[in-house]
Amino acid sequence: MSASASAPAPLFQGLWIPLVTPLREGRIDHDAAARLTRRLCADGITGLVVCGSTGEAAALDADEQLALLDTVTEAASGLPVVMGLSGYHLPETLQWVRTLARRPLAGLLVPAPHYIRPGQAGALHWFQAIADAAAAPLIVYDIPYRTGAVLERDTLLTLATHPNIRAIKDCGGDAAKTQALIADGRLDVLAGEDIQLFSTVALGGRGAIAASAHLATAAFARVIALLQAGELAAARAMWQPLLPLVEAAFAQPNPGPVKAWLAERGEIGAELRPPMMPPSAAWRAQSLNLPARLAAARGG
């Protein structure tokens, strides 16, 4: 199938932020989370992802995750919110999906089960079972370097036939697979690697879930809007100055750099939960002032 009028209308497009989890003295800083959410919403994002990898979800217990989700949903004032989930025990994961069904979610961001490394039949069973149980549509999170599981093109095209599987966060590292999914048209393709935002949207992808867009948020949103309007030269001129920020955001383990930048701006604390550690002194010396330099170069 090629992209056509028969493809479903996009549910997931534009700029989505995989929200960091602000911490203070070991606890979630809900006030900071609400302030950050409101600022990001005002800067032109489409929606938010709570409890993704950028949100240190693996270090949050279930009660903390639900409390954070409630804080962000309230602060987002109607902007769509997606919840990340992960695991490898299917019955427990399905129970968590049923718990989340009581929240007004726009979607669930779901990776393959980590550690197990299932084959393609096992991956299909995993996603289809979760999609059958979920009240909200699924975004397949294709990120083999975290899960150890590669999702092949035919597997993703099969998942696209499920009415409750509607998008993919594409961190698969396979440009041919990305373009095949865009051409097929049934899944909303969102760049999951920030450095691929420009190329994915220029090729017809719907948008991006981009951690580095916590900073210069309006500029990232504008790049996507320009690309979708076909204004390639203007989009390129705005994108090029953002590249050092994108590269520095992932030069140390995510979300350490993003939290350091937001702390420098006074928006949140820089605290992380072990085993995550702050960025190195060398990174701080080279990159901590990048957002300020970028803002100055753009005149604000």
Side-chain angles (χ1 to χ4, degrees):
M1 172 181 173
S2 60
S4 68
S6 62
L11 284 181
F12 303 101
Q13 57 185 327
L15 178 63
W16 292 71
I17 300 294
L19 196 69
V20 298
T21 299
L23 300 169
R24 179 187 294 178
E25 297 179 354
R27 298 172 181 264
I28 295 176
D29 186 343
H30 287 275
D31 290 340
R35 288 194 304 271
L36 179 59
T37 296
R38 289 191 291 268
R39 194 269 290 170
L40 290 166
C41 291
D43 281 349
I45 66 172
T46 302
L48 295 132
V49 178
V50 177
C51 292
S53 50
T54 300
E56 299 174 80
L60 305 177
D61 66 30
D63 289 340
E64 288 176 316
Q65 291 192 28
L66 290 175
L68 178 62
L69 174 60
D70 291 342
T71 293
V72 173
T73 301
E74 181 178 0
S77 299
L79 212 65
V81 176
V82 164
M83 183 70 167
L85 64 88
S86 65
Y88 51 80
H89 187 283
L90 184 57
E92 289 182 359
T93 301
L94 294 177
Q95 183 57 48
W96 184 236
V97 168
R98 288 188 282 270
T99 296
L100 293 174
R102 297 193 285 269
R103 262 66 178 183
L105 291 170
L108 297 172
L109 178 64
V110 183
H114 58 272
Y115 183 74
I116 292 177
R117 300 183 66 190
Q120 300 306 297
L124 283 170
H125 181 79
W126 170 264
F127 286 108
Q128 290 166 341
I130 294 172
D132 287 343
L138 262 61
I139 304 171
V140 174
Y141 192 0
D142 185 12
I143 186 161
Y145 58 80
R146 283 191 182 271
T147 65
V150 174
L151 301 176
E152 295 178 359
R153 181 190 308 187
D154 288 346
T155 299
L156 291 167
L157 292 174
T158 300
L159 291 175
T161 67
H162 194 293
N164 206 31
I165 298 177
R166 296 296 302 275
I168 179 169
K169 181 182 179 184
D170 179 23
C171 299
D174 183 339
K177 185 168 71 175
T178 299
Q179 292 178 65
L181 293 170
I182 291 170
D184 176 78
R186 288 176 292 180
L187 295 177
D188 299 335
V189 178
L190 302 170
E193 297 291 344
D194 295 20
I195 201 70
Q196 298 299 326
L197 180 155
F198 189 98
S199 58
T200 296
V201 179
L203 286 164
R206 297 294 188 183
I209 302 175
S212 54
H214 279 83
L215 290 301
T217 309
F220 278 92
R222 182 63 177 156
V223 168
I224 292 175
L226 288 168
L227 286 169
Q228 291 174 333
E231 299 182 32
L232 186 63
R236 187 185 300 115
M238 182 161 281
W239 174 246
Q240 291 291 342
L242 295 173
L243 287 174
L245 186 73
V246 172
E247 292 175 354
F250 297 97
Q252 301 269 289
N254 179 50
V258 170
K259 279 193 162 183
W261 284 330
L262 292 172
E264 184 74 4
R265 289 162 52 118
E267 294 195 69
I268 68 169
E271 187 174 333
L272 299 149
R273 276 198 175 163
M276 294 297 296
M277 293 289 143
S280 67
W283 181 93
R284 293 179 67 86
Q286 182 174 359
S287 302
L288 188 61
N289 66 348
L290 261 178
R293 296 205 315 260
L294 177 60
R298 294 176 57 245

